[in-house]
Amino acid sequence: MPQTDDQRDPLEVLAAEFVERQRSGQRPSISEYTAKHPELAEEIEELFPTIAAMEQLKVHKAEASGGRAPLAALTLDRLGDFRILGEIGRGGMGIVYEAFQESLGRHVAVKVLPRQSLLNSRQLQRFQRESQTAARLHHSNIVPVFGVGEQEGYHYIVMQLIRGVGLDSILAELQQGSPAQAPSGGDRGERPPAPPSGAEAVRLAGLLVRGQFSLSRDFAASSSGSVESLNVPRAEAAVTPPFSFAVTEGGEKPSGSHGVRADEGARPAGSDPGATSSRPETWRLGPPYWQSVAVIGLQVADALQYAHAHHTLHRDVKPANLLLDSQGVVWITDFGLAKAMEQDNVTQTGAVVGTLRYMAPEQLAGQTDPRSDVYSLGLTLYELLTLRPAFEDTDRSSLVRMITHGEPVRPRKINSSIPRDLETIVLKATAHDPADRYRSAGDLASDLRNFLEDRPIAARRASAVERLWRWARRNRLVAALTASTFVLLILFAAVTTAGYVRTAQERRKAEAVSALALEALDNIFGQFAPDRIPSASTLTVVGDSDEQITVPVQPVLSKEAAALLEHMLAFYDRLAGESGDDAKLRRKIAEANRRVGDIRQRLGQYEESKAAYLRAIELYRRPAASGADADLRTEIARIQNELGNVCTALNEWETGRRSYQEALETLKAAPAQSTANPQYQYELARTHYYLGRGPGRSPGPFPLSLGGPRGRHRGPPGSDRGPIGPPPERPGPEKGEAGPPPDRPESAGRPRFPGWDSDDRDRNLQKAIALLEQLVASHPAVPDYRHLLARCYREASFHGFGHRESITSESMERATKILQALVAEYPDVPDYRYDLSETYAMQANLRPFSREATDPAAQKQARGMLEKALAISEELVAEHPNVPDYAASQVHIRLRLAGLLWLSDPTGAEAMLRKAFDSQSALVRRFPRTSFYRFSMAIIQDLLAGLLQQRGKLPEARSMLEGSIASLQAAIARDPNAPIRGVLAYNYMRLADLLRRIGDEQAAAEAARQAESLRPSRDGRDSGP
Amino acid sequence: MTDSLADSNELSTRLKCGDRDALAALFAQYRDRLWRMVSFRMDRRLMGRVDPDDVLQEAYLAAASRLEHYGDGSFSPFVWMRMILMQTLTDVHRHHLGTQMRDADREVVVGGCRYPQATSASLAAQFVGHFTSPSRAAVRAEMLTQVEQAVAAMEPIDQEILALRHFEELTNSEVAEILGIQQKAASIRYVRAIKRLRGVLSHVPGFFEGSQDAPDG
């Protein structure tokens, strides 16, 4: 396609140039061209007028139709009293011309606004009001407004003419000259095109870098506060020598001065390197430059403070609105215009992206206050320091997302020579939550002054913990945004209502909207119930030793989150119900189904969760363009794993295991080259983990002995019924054993589940561990990998018990170490604390206490562990009362503690048991469908009954025991497959015994009869004495 | 106005990969020109009923859904976008005007692109539209017909070149690409078109008298 110009008609080339200049606001003359190209003069004269006429027509056409007038070809010579001399620049709000005010004989700047912006009278009124407000501002850093006017439908504002350059041009200049500091990713034409730099920009940039601006006396005098000269010598000697050119020039900085006025006569133009307009090879930024930036910030902050005191917000502080003149004075323009020009910016496609970049998060939600201006100024300073914008993106929705959830990279990470204090100031100014910023522009100004004068600054650096806490608070902002998202969703709902979507075109539109809606939903969902695979929902935070940490989003459901998720379910459901023709949309819908499955699982609605997962898999499997896609496989495997979890929760272990198995097969079938992907690896590890763990994690089978949280059977083969039970030498059934005698000791005393071969499980665990160790080594910053690894270690330590004792405790220790580290690094993430608590609790059992009951030291150790576990658990329950897992765990820990206290402190044990009983009752009430809770309830009642009996409180013991029986019966009613008939029978026996002691023979006989009838005869399991 | 070829190539590559951000960037970069095109080619009867921005939005959605087919043709990003926009605009016209579209062959195909109305009508509307003073209003209707006829007498491709160069503000190379001709040919035709236009308009009584004076010549 590229052809050389000389093949084109030369006249056409000239015409193109002519037209180009006209469109950029210049007023080229025809005679100029005839003079330069005499050989074409005749043709030029013949044709150029027609060409010019055509350009001019564009303006008039717009007038006639009342539509938008492109300002491109606007040729004004005059606006009332003002004679237009030429265009100075243009921005989103209009074009700025230099003009001569004839009546007063002075040069001014005239900003002409696009015609469409003020078409309706309400906007016009607003515009006038804002202009008047702006006109009342008198500050040496605010461009004074002289007047407003209108001509031929064009509204214009007259301002003082500032001979200066916008900071955006200067930034562009500096960026070009500093490849090392230029924005990464090779500027993909993203940001709104920077205006051409020009020689002046180069010159001013140079002056900034060399720090050769001092503050004018006027400024020093009018600034709020001291009149002291700011010509304090910087302690340059103490600072590492800057790379700046000042050094090579012989460091001509007169002492006692901040810098030299750029136009001082002492420096003849020739000798001053700063006067050259050619750019040096690279700009090196050193202390003089940081000073300059701070001085700029100070001026603007001061002006903002003044304006805020006069009840005017700027709302659109950004480099383009800050002019730097040759004296080094910064001028703010376009005060208040942002509000006046407002026309429902949120719905315009692409138009607002430029301004959006500097907008404070709360502005996006419609709440602007003085601190928003502080924020925008902060971002501007950020950009001046790092030479790149804090948020770089074109796409509007990505920008919004980044602004509301993201944090810019720390300036010193980009350039380590940026002074730490200055960075702290900028970070405070750009804090996400307005409450964490400077309270006013004035505060920012005074901290900048502190910096300039070498005084300690007021801003404090937040510790990593504090940062995390702040970030956690940010979730509330999402709630504010969801309002707009819901509007979008409602729109979507309207659009997809059957009957509305008639034509293919409408359908296409609906699909497009639904894709947008899904994106928005995903965003919110990610905040409250994130993916396991660490990618989108993380935040980068800097630790105290300056390393970057990736913080996962809170994975636990708060009450608000649960409510929100319920709402979202409705929308996801609707989306999920759609059937897309488009393969991509189908995938989105599959995703939606998966989300639904996740949400339902979290809410404990297992059947629905299963259904949704199955739908998702079915949709993913439908012949799509990308069949062998590894990512797709990972996704499918993940769903299959979740299905396995749900089945396990429903006591359908065989189905569950098969699901895990299927996940494994899905993953194994992926093409070899794609298996290097960490997400794939992680999912594979996860699959092996589940296969290795076996059932019994979630509300699962009846805990035949309450060996630990969730009723896993723990302990040495054969001997242990769980520490709940009384020590072995205690005779008699009334001692309240922890339920029926354990199963026949096999595979380390585990309950037997068909298909869950223990060697098989061991192997799977080892595989998982191998995979995860690799992942952790290559991706140390990802907490999820470590977390899973810890759980694998824990599981593995368990498996080996009885065979290889040394390994087991080592594994457990490793697990503990990892979890402790995770808890320390991410105090806000409950999952880690929870797992740590469980690990402690398990350790209370794992010590080789063959004589645990009698060894007081061992008992003490176990107790210590349990108390540690309990402490964490209590915290968790207090913070997250909605999470049943935490409450259940707490109950179990208490139970085990009670077991330990049985002998030494029966009162204490009783108290523990009662507390456990209360918590468990609450759980049963809230989750009536979860049989596991009923089972646990039964056990507690059992134990309590035993204890009470032991302490002689027989009537109460009786009611407890009866309660236990009732719980068990209720559990059986719900879940007839539960293997608890034996337990029930046993309890009836105990009841019978107790009743005899009380003296109620009749009831005792009845109970005995019940016991007899329940005795299972099939599997030959002996249930009682 | 002239895009560097490098930018265009990069965008093109990204679009082929289905990079939606590239689409957004494309859109943001060319928005003004695309808007101008819509504004220029929209039937007068739709002015006030349809906001060009809405058309742009629709076109964006259309482009997003067609992104995977971007690589099928060999268009530069801008031209591709323009084509989609044109189709969208045509659809909009059909939707709103439907059977009201005056002539059955109101839609015109030029250079592979289907336009909602003949360029001559758009051009003519431009030329005549600048007579805003009331005294001229009476003359306008008559003049419009004459101008339309005069312009329509020009070759369609010449009309198109003028429209593309002046009202859509495209470069010579873009025009060439859209019309499917060589750059050299586009350049030469443009000059000829201007000549012819001048000739055509000078024969319409009263046309050049009422127009703005050309800049000092």
Side-chain angles (χ1 to χ4, degrees):
Chain A
M1 199 57 131
Q3 292 171 5
T4 53
D5 272 355
D6 43 59
Q7 293 217 359
R8 292 156 65 183
D9 187 326
L11 197 65
E12 180 261 315
V13 177
L14 286 179
E17 186 197 299
F18 178 71
V19 149
E20 182 72 31
R21 287 173 64 192
Q22 260 199 317
R23 288 176 189 160
S24 63
Q26 295 171 43
R27 314 193 64 217
S29 65
I30 294 183
S31 49
E32 185 189 320
Y33 283 83
T34 51
K36 248 167 77 175
H37 305 271
E39 73 280 9
L40 295 167
E42 196 184 306
E43 285 186 306
I44 292 175
E45 289 214 16
E46 184 195 341
L47 300 178
F48 273 33
T50 307
I51 294 175
M54 287 229 284
E55 287 294 305
Q56 285 170 5
L57 281 176
K58 292 192 283 201
V59 178
H60 294 286
K61 156 83 166 176
E63 272 176 21
S65 62
R68 293 165 192 244
L71 288 181
L74 181 62
T75 41
L76 296 168
D77 1 302
R78 175 149 232 121
L79 279 172
D81 185 22
F82 305 94
R83 179 154 55 89
I84 305 292
L85 298 177
E87 182 179 317
I88 313 179
R90 53 176 68 196
M93 300 251 207
I95 307 181
V96 184
Y97 297 93
E98 177 176 342
F100 187 74
Q101 185 171 21
E102 311 225 283
S103 57
L104 293 179
R106 65 178 175 182
H107 288 252
V108 296
V110 177
K111 179 171 216 152
V112 183
L113 305 172
R115 260 193 109 231
Q116 86 286 3
S117 50
L118 301 171
L119 272 185
N120 79 58
S121 66
R122 193 166 52 90
Q123 284 172 336
L124 185 56
Q125 277 177 10
R126 214 195 306 178
F127 169 71
Q128 284 168 346
R129 234 190 356 255
E130 294 287 342
S131 309
Q132 285 165 11
T133 313
R136 278 198 287 271
L137 297 174
H138 301 292
H139 188 281
S140 41
N141 293 104
I142 299 180
V143 178
V145 171
F146 293 151
V148 295
E150 178 268 330
Q151 177 168 312
E152 289 171 34
Y154 288 98
H155 290 266
Y156 59 89
I157 303 169
V158 186
M159 312 173 280
Q160 176 168 326
L161 178 66
I162 307 291
R163 299 206 184 276
V165 174
L167 283 183
D168 54 345
S169 300
I170 296 188
L171 270 169
E173 192 45 52
L174 290 169
Q175 278 158 6
Q176 285 178 43
S178 309
Q181 286 131 326
S184 61
D187 204 5
R188 311 189 237 153
E190 295 159 346
R191 73 177 64 98
S197 300
E200 184 64 9
V202 180
R203 191 178 78 86
L204 289 178
L207 290 172
L208 273 183
V209 170
R210 280 186 284 276
Q212 282 168 337
F213 289 123
S214 65
L215 299 176
S216 70
R217 296 191 147 266
D218 298 328
F219 174 75
S222 73
S223 68
S224 50
S226 59
V227 186
E228 65 186 87
S229 148
L230 282 123
N231 298 332
V232 177
R234 296 294 302 163
E236 280 193 272
V239 172
T240 47
F243 309 126
S244 81
F245 283 74
V247 172
T248 61
E249 287 154 24
E252 294 137 327
K253 274 202 183 337
S255 67
S257 163
H258 207 233
V260 180
R261 274 179 163 268
D263 57 350
E264 241 178 31
R267 283 179 188 286
S271 72
D272 182 354
T276 63
S277 59
S278 61
R279 187 197 313 141
E281 288 276 308
T282 44
W283 298 115
R284 300 297 187 97
L285 306 181
Y289 180 69
W290 313 134
Q291 299 292 305
S292 306
V293 174
V295 167
I296 290 176
L298 178 53
Q299 296 179 59
V300 179
D302 226 63
L304 285 175
Q305 176 62 34
Y306 169 88
H308 295 166
H310 284 71
H311 310 296
T312 305
L313 298 177
H314 189 285
R315 293 171 212 269
D316 196 16
V317 175
K318 57 182 179 180
N321 280 341
L322 300 174
L323 301 175
L324 181 67
D325 71 14
S326 50
Q327 314 300 323
V329 176
V330 180
W331 299 85
I332 315 181
T333 67
D334 284 351
F335 246 101
L337 267 191
K339 180 143 194 213
M341 302 288 289
E342 215 169 77
Q343 24 169 356
D344 200 16
N345 286 326
V346 279
T347 57
Q348 282 181 6
T349 329
V352 208
V353 172
T355 309
L356 194 57
R357 182 169 288 128
Y358 301 96
M359 237 185 234
E362 68 275 9
Q363 269 181 296
L364 290 173
Q367 303 147 6
T368 316
D369 68 34
R371 295 170 300 184
S372 314
D373 278 346
V374 169
Y375 177 93
S376 304
L377 175 56
L379 282 193
T380 304
L381 292 176
Y382 179 104
E383 195 166 337
L384 282 168
L385 290 176
T386 59
L387 298 188
R388 70 168 84 170
F391 297 109
E392 283 184 275
D393 218 304
T394 335
D395 197 38
R396 188 201 160 72
S397 56
S398 318
L399 248 190
V400 171
R401 206 182 307 146
M402 281 167 75
I403 291 173
T404 52
H405 303 319
E407 267 189 2
V409 178
R410 244 185 359 126
R412 277 166 65 89
K413 263 264 175 300
I414 300 175
N415 182 348
S416 53
S417 51
I418 295 176
R420 199 172 162 83
D421 275 357
L422 199 48
E423 179 193 58
T424 309
I425 292 176
V426 168
L427 287 177
K428 185 171 170 85
T430 55
H432 207 275
D433 189 335
D436 293 329
R437 299 175 203 155
Y438 289 100
R439 259 174 320 131
S440 68
D443 286 350
L444 171 60
S446 57
D447 239 7
L448 282 168
R449 215 172 263 121
N450 288 335
F451 167 78
L452 285 166
E453 293 167 13
D454 255 335
R455 284 199 297 258
I457 61 173
R460 228 179 18 88
R461 296 186 81 82
S463 66
V465 175
E466 193 176 325
R467 265 193 294 266
L468 280 170
W469 180 55
R470 283 190 201 170
W471 163 82
R473 276 192 290 159
R474 219 173 293 157
N475 281 331
R476 284 186 221 136
L477 190 63
V478 177
L481 285 178
T482 54
S484 51
T485 313
F486 279 133
V487 170
L488 180 62
L489 294 174
I490 288 169
L491 259 176
F492 165 64
V495 157
T496 56
T497 305
Y500 182 96
V501 181
R502 278 166 288 129
T503 67
Q505 192 180 30
E506 281 168 357
R507 173 148 207 100
R508 275 198 300 275
K509 197 202 299 207
E511 283 175 358
V513 174
S514 77
L516 284 174
L518 185 59
E519 215 176 86
L521 272 179
D522 281 5
N523 196 28
I524 299 176
F525 182 87
Q527 291 298 308
F528 292 99
D531 300 337
R532 275 270 160 229
I533 297 178
S535 53
S537 321
T538 57
L539 185 73
T540 309
V541 161
V542 178
D544 282 323
S545 39
D546 285 10
E547 82 284 5
Q548 280 198 332
I549 311 171
T550 324
V551 183
V553 175
Q554 277 183 349
V556 156
L557 281 189
S558 63
K559 204 160 38 151
E560 305 88 17
L564 182 63
L565 285 179
E566 296 271 22
H567 278 298
M568 287 169 59
L569 255 184
F571 292 105
Y572 270 135
D573 268 342
R574 191 198 294 265
L575 241 180
E578 296 279 306
S579 60
D581 307 322
D582 185 18
K584 226 190 274 183
L585 184 64
R586 235 205 329 273
R587 196 153 162 167
K588 282 276 181 193
I589 293 175
E591 222 176 280
N593 271 293
R594 200 257 299 156
R595 296 274 197 218
V596 170
D598 286 346
I599 295 178
R600 295 228 184 255
Q601 196 189 145
R602 286 213 177 239
L603 294 172
Q605 300 159 9
Y606 297 115
E607 285 299 346
E608 295 88 336
S609 171
K610 237 206 298 190
Y613 283 142
L614 288 171
R615 255 180 293 156
I617 292 184
E618 197 251 341
L619 277 169
Y620 274 126
R621 283 236 175 93
R622 266 211 237 150
S626 48
D629 184 11
D631 284 356
L632 193 63
R633 284 187 180 279
T634 309
E635 178 70 14
I636 292 181
R638 174 165 142 200
I639 299 179
Q640 284 165 331
N641 277 331
E642 292 303 327
L643 261 175
N645 290 345
V646 172
C647 288
T648 307
L650 289 172
N651 293 344
E652 298 166 14
W653 314 309
E654 189 44 37
T655 320
R657 195 187 70 87
R658 247 183 286 129
S659 209
Y660 297 138
Q661 208 48 56
E662 275 169 23
L664 193 60
E665 278 155 28
T666 306
L667 286 170
K668 292 245 155 94
Q673 62 270 26
S674 52
T675 57
N677 182 356
Q679 288 180 358
Y680 170 95
Q681 298 279 320
Y682 179 78
E683 199 57 40
L684 186 59
R686 211 162 78 101
T687 313
H688 281 301
Y689 166 70
Y690 287 137
L691 282 169
R693 182 189 68 180
R697 172 128 185 106
S698 290
F702 179 71
L704 295 178
S705 79
L706 206 57
R710 323 264 210 174
R712 296 293 308 285
H713 191 126
R714 316 252 191 274
S719 69
D720 188 34
R721 316 164 165 200
I724 308 273
E729 58 251 32
R730 283 261 173 181
E734 73 266 22
K735 298 314 189 269
E737 287 158 348
D743 229 347
R744 275 182 220 120
E746 60 197 333
S747 57
R750 253 170 222 285
R752 185 180 24 174
F753 299 104
W756 291 100
D757 173 46
S758 82
D759 282 355
D760 208 22
R761 284 191 283 173
D762 276 336
R763 256 176 281 133
N764 272 298
L765 273 181
Q766 291 309 318
K767 280 197 197 142
I769 289 179
L771 280 165
L772 285 167
E773 279 176 352
Q774 249 186 352
L775 273 176
V776 169
S778 51
H779 297 81
V782 179
D784 271 26
Y785 301 156
R786 290 153 68 195
H787 187 201
L788 187 59
L789 181 57
R791 287 159 74 192
C792 285
Y793 279 142
R794 192 171 68 191
E795 206 58 43
S797 71
F798 210 60
H799 274 240
F801 197 99
H803 307 311
R804 297 162 288 186
E805 276 184 356
S806 51
I807 296 178
T808 66
S809 46
E810 187 190 302
S811 275
M812 190 58 99
E813 260 172 43
R814 282 204 203 130
T816 311
K817 264 214 198 85
I818 294 180
L819 287 168
Q820 280 170 340
L822 283 174
V823 168
E825 289 166 29
Y826 306 101
D828 268 8
V829 179
D831 277 15
Y832 304 149
R833 283 191 282 159
Y834 176 55
D835 274 349
L836 182 57
S837 153
E838 298 238 300
T839 310
Y840 283 145
M842 281 186 218
Q843 281 181 294
N845 195 35
L846 210 58
R847 310 286 156 165
F849 314 145
S850 43
R851 299 264 146 229
E852 91 180 280
T854 46
D855 181 4
Q859 275 210 327
K860 191 161 167 224
Q861 203 164 13
R863 183 174 170 172
M865 279 293 170
L866 285 173
E867 276 166 357
K868 264 202 222 174
L870 185 61
I872 298 179
S873 177
E874 276 170 343
E875 261 176 28
L876 284 172
V877 171
E879 288 168 21
H880 303 280
N882 285 319
V883 181
D885 299 358
Y886 300 164
S889 171
Q890 190 182 45
V891 168
H892 292 125
I893 297 174
R894 283 196 205 279
L895 286 183
R896 296 177 61 193
L897 266 174
L900 280 180
L901 295 172
W902 204 276
L903 290 181
S904 49
D905 181 13
T907 318
E910 188 183 335
M912 275 285 166
L913 281 179
R914 284 194 191 275
K915 269 200 207 152
F917 174 78
D918 290 341
S919 308
Q920 194 69 28
S921 315
L923 273 176
V924 170
R925 264 197 313 272
R926 272 184 42 218
F927 300 89
R929 296 206 284 178
T930 311
S931 358
F932 177 67
Y933 295 148
R934 279 183 208 281
F935 297 151
S936 306
M937 183 66 148
I939 292 174
I940 298 171
Q941 284 163 321
D942 242 359
L943 294 171
L944 206 38
L947 185 54
L948 289 167
Q949 193 174 342
Q950 192 184 320
R951 303 188 81 193
K953 306 180 189 176
L954 297 186
E956 204 178 349
R958 171 188 180 164
S959 50
M960 267 299 153
L961 202 48
E962 280 166 350
S964 169
I965 288 171
S967 297
L968 288 172
Q969 277 173 334
I972 286 185
R974 279 192 170 274
D975 190 1
N977 294 326
I980 55 170
R981 288 180 192 279
V983 186
L984 195 52
Y986 179 74
N987 275 6
Y988 271 122
M989 291 301 298
R990 284 174 59 201
L991 182 59
D993 193 83
L994 177 58
L995 288 168
R996 265 181 235 121
R997 279 171 204 263
I998 293 179
D1000 192 346
E1001 285 297 334
Q1002 202 181 7
E1006 175 61 33
R1009 225 185 2 259
Q1010 291 276 14
E1012 223 21 72
S1013 70
L1014 281 168
R1015 264 212 201 163
S1017 49
R1018 197 86 61 77
D1019 59 357
R1021 216 172 54 158
D1022 229 293
S1023 64
Chain B
M1 205 57 87
T2 52
D3 308 314
S4 79
L5 203 56
D7 279 349
S8 188
N9 279 342
E10 206 205 318
L11 263 180
S12 191
T13 312
R14 285 170 62 194
L15 287 172
K16 286 200 185 116
C17 298
D19 183 353
R20 281 222 287 156
D21 283 347
L23 185 63
L26 170 67
F27 205 74
Q29 192 175 347
Y30 294 119
R31 194 195 162 274
D32 285 346
R33 286 211 254 160
L34 296 169
W35 187 92
R36 236 190 302 273
M37 185 196 94
V38 175
S39 163
F40 169 61
R41 299 203 183 258
M42 197 178 294
D43 191 303
R44 272 167 297 133
R45 288 167 290 173
L46 291 182
M47 285 296 186
R49 271 164 54 181
V50 176
D51 187 353
D53 269 337
D54 284 341
V55 182
L56 283 178
Q57 195 124 340
E58 289 271 349
Y60 180 74
L61 286 177
S65 62
R66 303 243 278 276
L67 191 52
E68 47 193 17
H69 295 296
Y70 169 73
D72 293 350
S74 54
F75 295 108
S76 63
F78 171 68
V79 172
W80 176 76
M81 186 74 223
R82 187 180 172 278
M83 268 171 51
I84 293 180
L85 179 56
M86 196 55 88
Q87 286 164 20
T88 309
L89 185 59
T90 306
D91 289 342
V92 167
H93 274 79
R94 277 204 218 114
H95 184 264
H96 284 269
L97 299 177
T99 50
Q100 288 177 48
M101 288 175 94
R102 246 186 284 149
D103 308 33
D105 54 343
R106 195 72 168 168
E107 269 179 35
V108 180
V109 178
V110 179
C113 227
R114 182 172 286 278
Y115 293 122
Q117 65 176 7
T119 305
S120 57
S122 299
L123 281 174
Q126 290 279 332
F127 294 146
V128 180
H130 81 291
F131 289 121
T132 52
S133 56
S135 61
R136 288 259 164 213
V139 198
R140 255 167 76 190
E142 165 97 4
M143 175 121 6
L144 179 62
T145 327
Q146 286 186 322
V147 172
E148 248 192 82
Q149 284 172 350
V151 169
M154 288 171 61
E155 282 193 45
I157 200 165
D158 288 338
Q159 296 175 34
E160 196 55 33
I161 288 184
L162 288 177
L164 293 172
R165 290 297 294 259
H166 284 279
F167 294 100
E168 293 190 36
E169 299 189 2
L170 304 188
T171 63
N172 189 62
S173 62
E174 283 161 350
V175 170
E177 189 183 350
I178 288 173
L179 295 179
I181 56 182
Q182 296 282 323
Q183 279 200 39
K184 178 175 171 182
S187 173
I188 293 173
R189 289 205 85 115
Y190 171 70
V191 174
R192 275 196 264 155
I194 293 275
K195 285 191 181 144
R196 293 209 184 105
L197 178 68
R198 181 185 173 279
V200 151
L201 289 177
S202 65
H203 284 119
V204 176
F207 185 82
F208 273 118
E209 295 141 38
S211 64
Q212 296 248 338
D213 286 354
D216 54 8

